[in-house]
Amino acid sequence: MLITHDTRCSLDAVVDLVNTAPEDESAPDGLPDVAALQVFVRDHDMSDVGVLSEFDLSAVRKVRGRFAGIFAAPDARVAAGMINELVAAAGTTPQLTDHDGFDWHVHYFAPGASVADHLAADCGMALAFFVVAGEQERLRRCEAPDCRRAFVDLSRNRSRRYCDSRTCGNRLHVAAYRARRKEAAG
């Protein structure tokens, strides 16, 4: 599956956005205020985003919840329906652009769109490409029992199971190794 630069940027943004959601009632929100949203926008080099407000923060949190639902969708048909609703509500206006030293690419958000609509359109389309390619199962959640972070499995054989092999994957492998050693010493 060919993933263009702008699609990869949108995938990174949607994964990072979904992962800002608190895992439970006691966990802090990764987007606690407008300043955090501004950092998110800056870190993801989002173009054509104006001054952000509390309204934008609330709208982005709602879009974040809808994206989380797509990662939890049981099959491509459900994911497609959710993506269609999200992208349609954003009022997409696909247009070719070559700004900031990047070659030609497509922006799906309408000129002057809110940051929430910008995310819904561009990130929604990035996820749509996975459904179209029959690769919806690559939109995953970490399988570590104490982690449910979202990620996109871009491995060749669709074998990635953990959000980060250096932390979650390594931690589980070390725990399994120690358990085997303890059992063998037994």
Side-chain angles (χ1 to χ4, degrees), residues 20-153:
T20 65
E23 297 218 7
D24 58 42
E25 302 279 328
S26 65
D29 193 309
L31 284 178
D33 51 33
V34 174
L37 179 58
Q38 289 170 329
V39 169
F40 180 88
V41 166
R42 184 196 68 227
D43 288 352
H44 290 281
D45 294 321
M46 293 177 64
S47 60
D48 291 335
V49 174
V51 177
L52 299 173
S53 67
E54 288 292 328
F55 176 82
D56 292 308
L57 179 62
S58 176
V60 167
R61 286 178 176 164
K62 287 177 185 168
V63 167
R64 175 182 69 184
R66 295 181 80 182
F67 280 133
I70 294 166
F71 274 82
D75 58 46
R77 183 163 306 283
V78 172
M82 296 170 86
I83 292 168
N84 284 341
E85 287 176 15
L86 186 65
V87 171
T92 59
T93 306
Q95 55 189 323
L96 289 167
T97 183
D98 66 342
H99 62 90
D100 299 328
F102 292 105
D103 205 357
W104 290 106
H105 59 283
V106 179
H107 281 183
Y108 294 95
F109 59 93
S114 70
V115 67
D117 285 345
H118 180 136
L119 287 164
D122 274 2
C123 296
M125 289 305 300
L127 297 177
F129 296 143
F130 278 80
V131 173
V132 168
E135 301 284 354
Q136 182 257 337
E137 74 275 359
R138 289 182 183 266
L139 308 177
R140 296 195 172 153
R141 291 288 190 156
C142 185
E143 290 184 10
D146 59 342
C147 180
R148 296 298 300 149
R149 292 180 59 86
F151 68 94
V152 178
D153 178 6

